[in-house]
Amino acid sequence: IMKDVIIPGYLKREEISFLYSVALLYVFPSLEEGFGIPVLESFHFECPLICSDASALEEIASDSAIFFKKRDHHELYLKMNHLILNKFQIQEVDRQTITKEAISSIQLMERSATACRDWIIDKYDDNKRFSLLCGTGNNGGDGLALYRLLIEKNYLCTVYEFPLGDNQSSDYSENKRKIKTSDIKKLTTMALSHIATQEIIIDALLGTGINRPVTGKLKKVIQSLNALPNTIISLDTPSGLFSEYNNDNK
């Protein structure tokens, strides 16, 4: 599995902070531990924690972590799978939320965008510039809603659109009506090359609904996006990735 593992070496404090902020969970499979500083670090960054039942860890983490028997790879897999929802589970959570709370999909989108805006406000001052890349599906709808909410808070933002087909999703169209159409720029590889390296890019092109490898112009856009040195925040999964298995996804 080494091709799927990144070993970054030494990380600066701000790099560690960023990685924790975007992490789904922190896994600490230590076999022997005298105290367990990484456990406290994960608590500090409020990152969900799975760790082995080695020596001091159960005492330190107590009921704030999920434990597995050390060296039991299968149990670790089950615990991780329990915390990370797959594509169909995420869709079911959305469906149940809409049904049980009697809200519309556009209201759920607004709620999601509001949570993203609050996270950004907590992490970045309003002197930071953002470029939001939106496909014309529901993930792009999240992006347009987030753009509008950030503009309302006086953040400097540019929004780009990439058409995913002949028709836009209804929720995307609804959010598009709430902003000035003249604000929306066309997303191309050339447009990406003009984004300043200090700008933060919000990836709202594709979400968990992707069911086949990306091709054509969109593939070139995503490849260009991935080659940029900018900080990139994905509102869903990074565009072009399947939510589960990517072995054959080039």
Side-chain angles (χ1 to χ4, degrees), residues 81-116:
N81 201 44
H82 175 72
L83 279 185
I84 302 176
L85 300 181
N86 63 35
K87 165 185 174 180
F88 302 105
Q89 290 169 325
I90 291 171
Q91 292 172 344
E92 179 62 16
V93 167
D94 283 350
R95 188 193 67 78
Q96 290 194 25
T97 301
I98 291 171
T99 300
K100 293 183 178 180
E101 298 195 21
I103 65 173
S104 65
S105 58
I106 192 70
Q107 290 172 321
L108 183 61
M109 191 173 284
E110 188 76 7
R111 181 185 295 183
S112 174
T114 300
C116 292

PDB file of all heavy atoms in Angstrom, residues 81-116:
ATOM      1  N   ASN A  81     -13.910   2.070   9.307  1.00  0.00           N
ATOM      2  CA  ASN A  81     -15.072   2.000   8.422  1.00  0.00           C
ATOM      3  C   ASN A  81     -16.331   2.498   9.121  1.00  0.00           C
ATOM      4  O   ASN A  81     -17.245   3.042   8.493  1.00  0.00           O
ATOM      5  CB  ASN A  81     -15.270   0.563   7.940  1.00  0.00           C
ATOM      6  CG  ASN A  81     -16.095   0.497   6.661  1.00  0.00           C
ATOM      7  OD1 ASN A  81     -15.882   1.267   5.740  1.00  0.00           O
ATOM      8  ND2 ASN A  81     -17.046  -0.410   6.613  1.00  0.00           N
ATOM      9  N   HIS A  82     -16.362   2.322  10.447  1.00  0.00           N
ATOM     10  CA  HIS A  82     -17.507   2.780  11.230  1.00  0.00           C
ATOM     11  C   HIS A  82     -17.577   4.308  11.260  1.00  0.00           C
ATOM     12  O   HIS A  82     -18.672   4.895  11.252  1.00  0.00           O
ATOM     13  CB  HIS A  82     -17.398   2.235  12.660  1.00  0.00           C
ATOM     14  CG  HIS A  82     -18.472   2.743  13.583  1.00  0.00           C
ATOM     15  ND1 HIS A  82     -19.774   2.339  13.501  1.00  0.00           N
ATOM     16  CD2 HIS A  82     -18.418   3.650  14.602  1.00  0.00           C
ATOM     17  CE1 HIS A  82     -20.493   2.951  14.435  1.00  0.00           C
ATOM     18  NE2 HIS A  82     -19.699   3.751  15.112  1.00  0.00           N
ATOM     19  N   LEU A  83     -16.408   4.961  11.263  1.00  0.00           N
ATOM     20  CA  LEU A  83     -16.378   6.416  11.377  1.00  0.00           C
ATOM     21  C   LEU A  83     -16.488   7.130  10.030  1.00  0.00           C
ATOM     22  O   LEU A  83     -16.981   8.250   9.960  1.00  0.00           O
ATOM     23  CB  LEU A  83     -15.076   6.869  12.058  1.00  0.00           C
ATOM     24  CG  LEU A  83     -15.037   6.797  13.583  1.00  0.00           C
ATOM     25  CD1 LEU A  83     -13.744   7.396  14.099  1.00  0.00           C
ATOM     26  CD2 LEU A  83     -16.220   7.535  14.194  1.00  0.00           C
ATOM     27  N   ILE A  84     -16.001   6.495   8.956  1.00  0.00           N
ATOM     28  CA  ILE A  84     -15.992   7.149   7.649  1.00  0.00           C
ATOM     29  C   ILE A  84     -17.159   6.637   6.815  1.00  0.00           C
ATOM     30  O   ILE A  84     -17.225   5.464   6.474  1.00  0.00           O
ATOM     31  CB  ILE A  84     -14.664   6.886   6.910  1.00  0.00           C
ATOM     32  CG1 ILE A  84     -13.479   7.397   7.752  1.00  0.00           C
ATOM     33  CG2 ILE A  84     -14.668   7.574   5.553  1.00  0.00           C
ATOM     34  CD1 ILE A  84     -12.137   7.094   7.146  1.00  0.00           C
ATOM     35  N   LEU A  85     -18.064   7.521   6.464  1.00  0.00           N
ATOM     36  CA  LEU A  85     -19.222   7.127   5.670  1.00  0.00           C
ATOM     37  C   LEU A  85     -18.838   6.978   4.203  1.00  0.00           C
ATOM     38  O   LEU A  85     -18.049   7.752   3.675  1.00  0.00           O
ATOM     39  CB  LEU A  85     -20.323   8.186   5.789  1.00  0.00           C
ATOM     40  CG  LEU A  85     -20.861   8.466   7.194  1.00  0.00           C
ATOM     41  CD1 LEU A  85     -21.963   9.517   7.113  1.00  0.00           C
ATOM     42  CD2 LEU A  85     -21.378   7.207   7.859  1.00  0.00           C
ATOM     43  N   ASN A  86     -19.425   5.959   3.546  1.00  0.00           N
ATOM     44  CA  ASN A  86     -19.192   5.826   2.111  1.00  0.00           C
ATOM     45  C   ASN A  86     -20.219   6.659   1.342  1.00  0.00           C
ATOM     46  O   ASN A  86     -21.102   7.298   1.921  1.00  0.00           O
ATOM     47  CB  ASN A  86     -19.215   4.351   1.676  1.00  0.00           C
ATOM     48  CG  ASN A  86     -20.563   3.686   1.904  1.00  0.00           C
ATOM     49  OD1 ASN A  86     -21.621   4.306   1.764  1.00  0.00           O
ATOM     50  ND2 ASN A  86     -20.545   2.407   2.243  1.00  0.00           N
ATOM     51  N   LYS A  87     -20.092   6.629   0.036  1.00  0.00           N
ATOM     52  CA  LYS A  87     -20.940   7.447  -0.836  1.00  0.00           C
ATOM     53  C   LYS A  87     -22.424   7.228  -0.562  1.00  0.00           C
ATOM     54  O   LYS A  87     -23.189   8.195  -0.415  1.00  0.00           O
ATOM     55  CB  LYS A  87     -20.605   7.118  -2.288  1.00  0.00           C
ATOM     56  CG  LYS A  87     -21.616   7.598  -3.314  1.00  0.00           C
ATOM     57  CD  LYS A  87     -21.235   7.102  -4.698  1.00  0.00           C
ATOM     58  CE  LYS A  87     -22.304   7.443  -5.724  1.00  0.00           C
ATOM     59  NZ  LYS A  87     -21.936   6.972  -7.072  1.00  0.00           N
ATOM     60  N   PHE A  88     -22.829   5.985  -0.473  1.00  0.00           N
ATOM     61  CA  PHE A  88     -24.258   5.683  -0.329  1.00  0.00           C
ATOM     62  C   PHE A  88     -24.761   6.047   1.068  1.00  0.00           C
ATOM     63  O   PHE A  88     -25.904   6.483   1.230  1.00  0.00           O
ATOM     64  CB  PHE A  88     -24.497   4.205  -0.638  1.00  0.00           C
ATOM     65  CG  PHE A  88     -24.035   3.814  -2.012  1.00  0.00           C
ATOM     66  CD1 PHE A  88     -22.872   3.084  -2.190  1.00  0.00           C
ATOM     67  CD2 PHE A  88     -24.738   4.213  -3.130  1.00  0.00           C
ATOM     68  CE1 PHE A  88     -22.428   2.751  -3.453  1.00  0.00           C
ATOM     69  CE2 PHE A  88     -24.305   3.886  -4.404  1.00  0.00           C
ATOM     70  CZ  PHE A  88     -23.146   3.149  -4.563  1.00  0.00           C
ATOM     71  N   GLN A  89     -23.901   5.906   2.096  1.00  0.00           N
ATOM     72  CA  GLN A  89     -24.285   6.307   3.440  1.00  0.00           C
ATOM     73  C   GLN A  89     -24.454   7.816   3.533  1.00  0.00           C
ATOM     74  O   GLN A  89     -25.374   8.304   4.187  1.00  0.00           O
ATOM     75  CB  GLN A  89     -23.240   5.818   4.449  1.00  0.00           C
ATOM     76  CG  GLN A  89     -23.227   4.304   4.636  1.00  0.00           C
ATOM     77  CD  GLN A  89     -22.030   3.829   5.425  1.00  0.00           C
ATOM     78  OE1 GLN A  89     -20.929   4.376   5.321  1.00  0.00           O
ATOM     79  NE2 GLN A  89     -22.218   2.788   6.238  1.00  0.00           N
ATOM     80  N   ILE A  90     -23.576   8.568   2.859  1.00  0.00           N
ATOM     81  CA  ILE A  90     -23.693  10.028   2.849  1.00  0.00           C
ATOM     82  C   ILE A  90     -24.994  10.447   2.178  1.00  0.00           C
ATOM     83  O   ILE A  90     -25.719  11.320   2.672  1.00  0.00           O
ATOM     84  CB  ILE A  90     -22.489  10.650   2.119  1.00  0.00           C
ATOM     85  CG1 ILE A  90     -21.209  10.446   2.950  1.00  0.00           C
ATOM     86  CG2 ILE A  90     -22.714  12.143   1.866  1.00  0.00           C
ATOM     87  CD1 ILE A  90     -19.953  10.837   2.220  1.00  0.00           C
ATOM     88  N   GLN A  91     -25.325   9.806   1.061  1.00  0.00           N
ATOM     89  CA  GLN A  91     -26.569  10.126   0.365  1.00  0.00           C
ATOM     90  C   GLN A  91     -27.779   9.791   1.228  1.00  0.00           C
ATOM     91  O   GLN A  91     -28.773  10.528   1.235  1.00  0.00           O
ATOM     92  CB  GLN A  91     -26.619   9.370  -0.963  1.00  0.00           C
ATOM     93  CG  GLN A  91     -25.595   9.859  -1.979  1.00  0.00           C
ATOM     94  CD  GLN A  91     -25.519   8.985  -3.218  1.00  0.00           C
ATOM     95  OE1 GLN A  91     -26.004   7.858  -3.230  1.00  0.00           O
ATOM     96  NE2 GLN A  91     -24.896   9.508  -4.270  1.00  0.00           N
ATOM     97  N   GLU A  92     -27.679   8.706   1.997  1.00  0.00           N
ATOM     98  CA  GLU A  92     -28.777   8.323   2.877  1.00  0.00           C
ATOM     99  C   GLU A  92     -28.924   9.304   4.037  1.00  0.00           C
ATOM    100  O   GLU A  92     -30.042   9.641   4.448  1.00  0.00           O
ATOM    101  CB  GLU A  92     -28.551   6.905   3.418  1.00  0.00           C
ATOM    102  CG  GLU A  92     -29.633   6.398   4.368  1.00  0.00           C
ATOM    103  CD  GLU A  92     -31.018   6.307   3.729  1.00  0.00           C
ATOM    104  OE1 GLU A  92     -31.125   6.335   2.484  1.00  0.00           O
ATOM    105  OE2 GLU A  92     -32.001   6.208   4.490  1.00  0.00           O
ATOM    106  N   VAL A  93     -27.793   9.794   4.564  1.00  0.00           N
ATOM    107  CA  VAL A  93     -27.840  10.805   5.623  1.00  0.00           C
ATOM    108  C   VAL A  93     -28.543  12.066   5.103  1.00  0.00           C
ATOM    109  O   VAL A  93     -29.396  12.642   5.788  1.00  0.00           O
ATOM    110  CB  VAL A  93     -26.422  11.143   6.116  1.00  0.00           C
ATOM    111  CG1 VAL A  93     -26.440  12.400   6.982  1.00  0.00           C
ATOM    112  CG2 VAL A  93     -25.847   9.982   6.921  1.00  0.00           C
ATOM    113  N   ASP A  94     -28.205  12.484   3.894  1.00  0.00           N
ATOM    114  CA  ASP A  94     -28.869  13.650   3.295  1.00  0.00           C
ATOM    115  C   ASP A  94     -30.368  13.408   3.165  1.00  0.00           C
ATOM    116  O   ASP A  94     -31.187  14.276   3.501  1.00  0.00           O
ATOM    117  CB  ASP A  94     -28.279  13.953   1.908  1.00  0.00           C
ATOM    118  CG  ASP A  94     -26.927  14.638   1.982  1.00  0.00           C
ATOM    119  OD1 ASP A  94     -26.528  15.051   3.084  1.00  0.00           O
ATOM    120  OD2 ASP A  94     -26.272  14.757   0.923  1.00  0.00           O
ATOM    121  N   ARG A  95     -30.719  12.216   2.675  1.00  0.00           N
ATOM    122  CA  ARG A  95     -32.138  11.911   2.458  1.00  0.00           C
ATOM    123  C   ARG A  95     -32.912  11.929   3.769  1.00  0.00           C
ATOM    124  O   ARG A  95     -34.008  12.499   3.860  1.00  0.00           O
ATOM    125  CB  ARG A  95     -32.282  10.540   1.789  1.00  0.00           C
ATOM    126  CG  ARG A  95     -33.708  10.212   1.338  1.00  0.00           C
ATOM    127  CD  ARG A  95     -33.851   8.754   0.974  1.00  0.00           C
ATOM    128  NE  ARG A  95     -33.701   7.880   2.143  1.00  0.00           N
ATOM    129  CZ  ARG A  95     -34.664   7.691   3.056  1.00  0.00           C
ATOM    130  NH1 ARG A  95     -35.836   8.309   2.927  1.00  0.00           N
ATOM    131  NH2 ARG A  95     -34.462   6.884   4.073  1.00  0.00           N
ATOM    132  N   GLN A  96     -32.340  11.311   4.803  1.00  0.00           N
ATOM    133  CA  GLN A  96     -33.026  11.250   6.091  1.00  0.00           C
ATOM    134  C   GLN A  96     -33.127  12.626   6.739  1.00  0.00           C
ATOM    135  O   GLN A  96     -34.129  12.943   7.389  1.00  0.00           O
ATOM    136  CB  GLN A  96     -32.312  10.267   7.020  1.00  0.00           C
ATOM    137  CG  GLN A  96     -32.470   8.814   6.607  1.00  0.00           C
ATOM    138  CD  GLN A  96     -32.067   7.853   7.693  1.00  0.00           C
ATOM    139  OE1 GLN A  96     -32.102   8.179   8.874  1.00  0.00           O
ATOM    140  NE2 GLN A  96     -31.691   6.651   7.310  1.00  0.00           N
ATOM    141  N   THR A  97     -32.089  13.444   6.559  1.00  0.00           N
ATOM    142  CA  THR A  97     -32.133  14.792   7.119  1.00  0.00           C
ATOM    143  C   THR A  97     -33.255  15.598   6.479  1.00  0.00           C
ATOM    144  O   THR A  97     -34.029  16.280   7.172  1.00  0.00           O
ATOM    145  CB  THR A  97     -30.788  15.519   6.896  1.00  0.00           C
ATOM    146  OG1 THR A  97     -29.740  14.782   7.521  1.00  0.00           O
ATOM    147  CG2 THR A  97     -30.831  16.928   7.484  1.00  0.00           C
ATOM    148  N   ILE A  98     -33.366  15.505   5.150  1.00  0.00           N
ATOM    149  CA  ILE A  98     -34.422  16.226   4.440  1.00  0.00           C
ATOM    150  C   ILE A  98     -35.800  15.743   4.875  1.00  0.00           C
ATOM    151  O   ILE A  98     -36.729  16.529   5.080  1.00  0.00           O
ATOM    152  CB  ILE A  98     -34.245  16.056   2.921  1.00  0.00           C
ATOM    153  CG1 ILE A  98     -32.998  16.819   2.450  1.00  0.00           C
ATOM    154  CG2 ILE A  98     -35.481  16.531   2.158  1.00  0.00           C
ATOM    155  CD1 ILE A  98     -32.606  16.543   1.008  1.00  0.00           C
ATOM    156  N   THR A  99     -35.924  14.414   5.070  1.00  0.00           N
ATOM    157  CA  THR A  99     -37.221  13.839   5.436  1.00  0.00           C
ATOM    158  C   THR A  99     -37.597  14.136   6.885  1.00  0.00           C
ATOM    159  O   THR A  99     -38.693  14.625   7.175  1.00  0.00           O
ATOM    160  CB  THR A  99     -37.199  12.311   5.221  1.00  0.00           C
ATOM    161  OG1 THR A  99     -36.917  12.039   3.845  1.00  0.00           O
ATOM    162  CG2 THR A  99     -38.537  11.700   5.604  1.00  0.00           C
ATOM    163  N   LYS A 100     -36.680  13.862   7.801  1.00  0.00           N
ATOM    164  CA  LYS A 100     -36.999  13.959   9.229  1.00  0.00           C
ATOM    165  C   LYS A 100     -37.076  15.395   9.732  1.00  0.00           C
ATOM    166  O   LYS A 100     -37.821  15.696  10.663  1.00  0.00           O
ATOM    167  CB  LYS A 100     -35.971  13.165  10.042  1.00  0.00           C
ATOM    168  CG  LYS A 100     -36.051  11.656   9.807  1.00  0.00           C
ATOM    169  CD  LYS A 100     -35.069  10.886  10.678  1.00  0.00           C
ATOM    170  CE  LYS A 100     -35.206   9.390  10.454  1.00  0.00           C
ATOM    171  NZ  LYS A 100     -34.261   8.607  11.306  1.00  0.00           N
ATOM    172  N   GLU A 101     -36.300  16.281   9.139  1.00  0.00           N
ATOM    173  CA  GLU A 101     -36.322  17.669   9.597  1.00  0.00           C
ATOM    174  C   GLU A 101     -37.223  18.538   8.736  1.00  0.00           C
ATOM    175  O   GLU A 101     -37.316  19.742   8.948  1.00  0.00           O
ATOM    176  CB  GLU A 101     -34.904  18.239   9.632  1.00  0.00           C
ATOM    177  CG  GLU A 101     -33.992  17.505  10.609  1.00  0.00           C
ATOM    178  CD  GLU A 101     -32.727  18.278  10.894  1.00  0.00           C
ATOM    179  OE1 GLU A 101     -32.708  19.510  10.675  1.00  0.00           O
ATOM    180  OE2 GLU A 101     -31.758  17.654  11.347  1.00  0.00           O
ATOM    181  N   ALA A 102     -37.853  17.924   7.753  1.00  0.00           N
ATOM    182  CA  ALA A 102     -38.810  18.627   6.888  1.00  0.00           C
ATOM    183  C   ALA A 102     -38.196  19.881   6.273  1.00  0.00           C
ATOM    184  O   ALA A 102     -38.778  20.970   6.288  1.00  0.00           O
ATOM    185  CB  ALA A 102     -40.069  18.984   7.674  1.00  0.00           C
ATOM    186  N   ILE A 103     -36.991  19.721   5.719  1.00  0.00           N
ATOM    187  CA  ILE A 103     -36.351  20.826   5.009  1.00  0.00           C
ATOM    188  C   ILE A 103     -36.110  20.408   3.565  1.00  0.00           C
ATOM    189  O   ILE A 103     -36.082  19.224   3.242  1.00  0.00           O
ATOM    190  CB  ILE A 103     -35.018  21.253   5.666  1.00  0.00           C
ATOM    191  CG1 ILE A 103     -33.980  20.115   5.577  1.00  0.00           C
ATOM    192  CG2 ILE A 103     -35.236  21.693   7.097  1.00  0.00           C
ATOM    193  CD1 ILE A 103     -32.615  20.520   6.059  1.00  0.00           C
ATOM    194  N   SER A 104     -35.944  21.386   2.712  1.00  0.00           N
ATOM    195  CA  SER A 104     -35.712  21.092   1.305  1.00  0.00           C
ATOM    196  C   SER A 104     -34.223  20.877   1.063  1.00  0.00           C
ATOM    197  O   SER A 104     -33.373  21.216   1.899  1.00  0.00           O
ATOM    198  CB  SER A 104     -36.204  22.265   0.442  1.00  0.00           C
ATOM    199  OG  SER A 104     -35.428  23.422   0.710  1.00  0.00           O
ATOM    200  N   SER A 105     -33.886  20.342  -0.106  1.00  0.00           N
ATOM    201  CA  SER A 105     -32.483  20.121  -0.438  1.00  0.00           C
ATOM    202  C   SER A 105     -31.726  21.444  -0.533  1.00  0.00           C
ATOM    203  O   SER A 105     -30.546  21.523  -0.172  1.00  0.00           O
ATOM    204  CB  SER A 105     -32.362  19.341  -1.749  1.00  0.00           C
ATOM    205  OG  SER A 105     -33.004  20.022  -2.810  1.00  0.00           O
ATOM    206  N   ILE A 106     -32.392  22.508  -0.989  1.00  0.00           N
ATOM    207  CA  ILE A 106     -31.733  23.812  -1.088  1.00  0.00           C
ATOM    208  C   ILE A 106     -31.461  24.372   0.303  1.00  0.00           C
ATOM    209  O   ILE A 106     -30.433  25.034   0.535  1.00  0.00           O
ATOM    210  CB  ILE A 106     -32.574  24.800  -1.932  1.00  0.00           C
ATOM    211  CG1 ILE A 106     -31.752  26.042  -2.286  1.00  0.00           C
ATOM    212  CG2 ILE A 106     -33.853  25.199  -1.221  1.00  0.00           C
ATOM    213  CD1 ILE A 106     -30.658  25.804  -3.275  1.00  0.00           C
ATOM    214  N   GLN A 107     -32.344  24.092   1.257  1.00  0.00           N
ATOM    215  CA  GLN A 107     -32.109  24.524   2.641  1.00  0.00           C
ATOM    216  C   GLN A 107     -30.962  23.738   3.271  1.00  0.00           C
ATOM    217  O   GLN A 107     -30.156  24.298   4.026  1.00  0.00           O
ATOM    218  CB  GLN A 107     -33.389  24.345   3.461  1.00  0.00           C
ATOM    219  CG  GLN A 107     -34.501  25.320   3.105  1.00  0.00           C
ATOM    220  CD  GLN A 107     -35.821  24.991   3.799  1.00  0.00           C
ATOM    221  OE1 GLN A 107     -36.180  23.811   3.940  1.00  0.00           O
ATOM    222  NE2 GLN A 107     -36.527  26.014   4.235  1.00  0.00           N
ATOM    223  N   LEU A 108     -30.876  22.452   2.949  1.00  0.00           N
ATOM    224  CA  LEU A 108     -29.763  21.643   3.438  1.00  0.00           C
ATOM    225  C   LEU A 108     -28.449  22.145   2.848  1.00  0.00           C
ATOM    226  O   LEU A 108     -27.422  22.191   3.539  1.00  0.00           O
ATOM    227  CB  LEU A 108     -29.985  20.175   3.070  1.00  0.00           C
ATOM    228  CG  LEU A 108     -28.933  19.176   3.568  1.00  0.00           C
ATOM    229  CD1 LEU A 108     -28.871  19.176   5.095  1.00  0.00           C
ATOM    230  CD2 LEU A 108     -29.254  17.770   3.061  1.00  0.00           C
ATOM    231  N   MET A 109     -28.478  22.555   1.588  1.00  0.00           N
ATOM    232  CA  MET A 109     -27.296  23.114   0.934  1.00  0.00           C
ATOM    233  C   MET A 109     -26.863  24.405   1.623  1.00  0.00           C
ATOM    234  O   MET A 109     -25.667  24.642   1.836  1.00  0.00           O
ATOM    235  CB  MET A 109     -27.602  23.363  -0.546  1.00  0.00           C
ATOM    236  CG  MET A 109     -26.402  23.703  -1.400  1.00  0.00           C
ATOM    237  SD  MET A 109     -26.838  23.764  -3.165  1.00  0.00           S
ATOM    238  CE  MET A 109     -26.969  22.002  -3.544  1.00  0.00           C
ATOM    239  N   GLU A 110     -27.823  25.230   1.985  1.00  0.00           N
ATOM    240  CA  GLU A 110     -27.514  26.483   2.685  1.00  0.00           C
ATOM    241  C   GLU A 110     -26.899  26.195   4.054  1.00  0.00           C
ATOM    242  O   GLU A 110     -25.960  26.870   4.487  1.00  0.00           O
ATOM    243  CB  GLU A 110     -28.792  27.309   2.848  1.00  0.00           C
ATOM    244  CG  GLU A 110     -28.580  28.710   3.380  1.00  0.00           C
ATOM    245  CD  GLU A 110     -28.028  29.673   2.338  1.00  0.00           C
ATOM    246  OE1 GLU A 110     -27.933  29.286   1.156  1.00  0.00           O
ATOM    247  OE2 GLU A 110     -27.704  30.822   2.700  1.00  0.00           O
ATOM    248  N   ARG A 111     -27.421  25.182   4.715  1.00  0.00           N
ATOM    249  CA  ARG A 111     -26.874  24.796   6.023  1.00  0.00           C
ATOM    250  C   ARG A 111     -25.433  24.323   5.885  1.00  0.00           C
ATOM    251  O   ARG A 111     -24.564  24.680   6.692  1.00  0.00           O
ATOM    252  CB  ARG A 111     -27.740  23.688   6.636  1.00  0.00           C
ATOM    253  CG  ARG A 111     -27.284  23.229   8.003  1.00  0.00           C
ATOM    254  CD  ARG A 111     -28.102  22.051   8.497  1.00  0.00           C
ATOM    255  NE  ARG A 111     -29.493  22.394   8.714  1.00  0.00           N
ATOM    256  CZ  ARG A 111     -30.385  21.534   9.204  1.00  0.00           C
ATOM    257  NH1 ARG A 111     -30.022  20.296   9.496  1.00  0.00           N
ATOM    258  NH2 ARG A 111     -31.630  21.907   9.392  1.00  0.00           N
ATOM    259  N   SER A 112     -25.169  23.526   4.858  1.00  0.00           N
ATOM    260  CA  SER A 112     -23.816  23.033   4.617  1.00  0.00           C
ATOM    261  C   SER A 112     -22.857  24.179   4.302  1.00  0.00           C
ATOM    262  O   SER A 112     -21.733  24.240   4.833  1.00  0.00           O
ATOM    263  CB  SER A 112     -23.840  22.038   3.450  1.00  0.00           C
ATOM    264  OG  SER A 112     -22.537  21.644   3.084  1.00  0.00           O
ATOM    265  N   ALA A 113     -23.305  25.096   3.444  1.00  0.00           N
ATOM    266  CA  ALA A 113     -22.460  26.236   3.075  1.00  0.00           C
ATOM    267  C   ALA A 113     -22.188  27.140   4.268  1.00  0.00           C
ATOM    268  O   ALA A 113     -21.081  27.677   4.420  1.00  0.00           O
ATOM    269  CB  ALA A 113     -23.129  27.031   1.949  1.00  0.00           C
ATOM    270  N   THR A 114     -23.169  27.286   5.124  1.00  0.00           N
ATOM    271  CA  THR A 114     -22.995  28.104   6.328  1.00  0.00           C
ATOM    272  C   THR A 114     -21.945  27.493   7.256  1.00  0.00           C
ATOM    273  O   THR A 114     -21.101  28.206   7.821  1.00  0.00           O
ATOM    274  CB  THR A 114     -24.330  28.256   7.078  1.00  0.00           C
ATOM    275  OG1 THR A 114     -25.284  28.897   6.227  1.00  0.00           O
ATOM    276  CG2 THR A 114     -24.160  29.082   8.347  1.00  0.00           C
ATOM    277  N   ALA A 115     -21.977  26.169   7.396  1.00  0.00           N
ATOM    278  CA  ALA A 115     -20.973  25.489   8.226  1.00  0.00           C
ATOM    279  C   ALA A 115     -19.577  25.669   7.632  1.00  0.00           C
ATOM    280  O   ALA A 115     -18.600  25.898   8.366  1.00  0.00           O
ATOM    281  CB  ALA A 115     -21.318  24.009   8.352  1.00  0.00           C
ATOM    282  N   CYS A 116     -19.469  25.589   6.311  1.00  0.00           N
ATOM    283  CA  CYS A 116     -18.176  25.800   5.647  1.00  0.00           C
ATOM    284  C   CYS A 116     -17.694  27.233   5.836  1.00  0.00           C
ATOM    285  O   CYS A 116     -16.505  27.472   6.092  1.00  0.00           O
ATOM    286  CB  CYS A 116     -18.285  25.484   4.159  1.00  0.00           C
ATOM    287  SG  CYS A 116     -18.550  23.746   3.771  1.00  0.00           S
TER     288      CYS A 116
END
